[in-house]
Amino acid sequence: MPNSRFWRYSVRLYAQRGVANACLRLQDQCAVDVNVLLFMLFVAQHGRRLSRAEARAVETFARHWRINVVEPLRTLRRKLKTGIAPVKRPASNPLRAAVKDCELLAEELQQRVIERRFPLQSIGKPAPVKCATAANLAAFFPTLRVSRHAQLRRLQTAAEDRKSTRLNSSHVALSRMPSSA
């Protein structure tokens, strides 16, 4: 299964200092679908500004898979971190690793279907990257003030750094993003 441009972008962005932590905090504290958030940034990186309706459509499209596949896998993986009676750690570690791999595959599949359903050329309007990044975050988080939310500011800064998020196949490992604790 070849990696998608969206997945490669996400791996690059996620590897930047502070990005993984920001994503995980938004996921755990604000119930943010990180894949949808990353898609907002991916689209912006390609100079596409989304409306609130378009951002909502992406989130709605991704919700069923996240709720029924990604979140249960994440919950199980986190429970296995400390072991589940009667199987305690370290005996449960191989199962936890397998669930982690399944969770990452589920996230990659989610990104593939999002990218396929919302091709870059058919979503949003052209805009400079910085404007598109701010607009897409505001469209995805209409109730949060992007400029005042530390996690979103970190992501916005990282996403706007074109050198560090440029899709360069010689620098992009086709590995999976590290998952949360």
Side-chain angles (χ1 to χ4, degrees):
M1 171 165 56
N3 292 107
S4 71
R5 289 187 335 169
F6 175 30
W7 182 256
R8 290 190 309 267
Y9 170 82
S10 297
V11 169
R12 289 272 305 183
L13 183 62
Y14 204 84
Q16 287 187 42
R17 193 172 135 250
V19 171
N21 187 50
C23 288
L24 296 175
R25 282 187 159 183
L26 288 165
Q27 174 183 282
D28 293 341
Q29 295 172 4
C30 304
V32 169
D33 185 326
V34 171
N35 277 332
V36 175
L37 171 60
L38 292 170
F39 187 71
M40 297 296 125
L41 299 172
F42 172 71
V43 170
Q45 187 68 36
H46 288 85
R48 306 301 293 183
R49 177 186 177 147
L50 303 182
S51 68
R52 271 196 190 157
E54 288 170 316
R56 202 172 315 116
V58 174
E59 199 286 325
T60 299
F61 178 77
R63 183 179 303 133
H64 186 74
W65 182 260
R66 180 189 73 242
I67 290 170
N68 291 289
V69 179
V70 175
E71 288 176 354
L73 288 168
R74 180 179 305 126
T75 299
L76 177 58
R77 177 184 49 78
R78 287 179 174 178
K79 286 179 182 178
L80 287 167
K81 185 174 185 178
T82 57
I84 301 173
V87 180
K88 299 290 185 189
R89 286 190 60 225
S92 64
N93 286 348
L95 177 58
R96 182 175 186 267
V99 171
K100 179 181 176 180
D101 289 343
C102 289
E103 180 187 359
L104 288 168
L105 179 58
E107 290 179 335
E108 185 176 1
L109 289 170
Q110 182 186 25
Q111 284 199 3
R112 286 176 184 285
V113 298
I114 291 169
E115 186 177 20
R116 196 173 310 128
R117 171 65 179 84
F118 301 97
L120 289 171
Q121 66 274 17
S122 67
I123 190 168
K125 303 216 179 302
V129 171
K130 276 191 161 196
C131 294
T133 302
N136 292 357
L137 289 175
F140 186 51
F141 296 100
T143 60
L144 292 177
R145 297 218 25 186
V146 173
S147 63
R148 293 194 179 165
H149 198 287
Q151 309 312 323
L152 292 175
R153 271 197 322 272
R154 174 66 196 119
L155 288 170
Q156 184 174 0
T157 301
E160 289 172 350
D161 181 3
R162 292 190 72 105
K163 286 182 277 189
S164 60
T165 56
R166 188 172 300 132
L167 295 175
N168 181 339
S169 59
S170 66
H171 298 315
V172 177
L174 298 180
S175 62
R176 294 188 154 55
M177 291 186 290
S179 67
S180 61

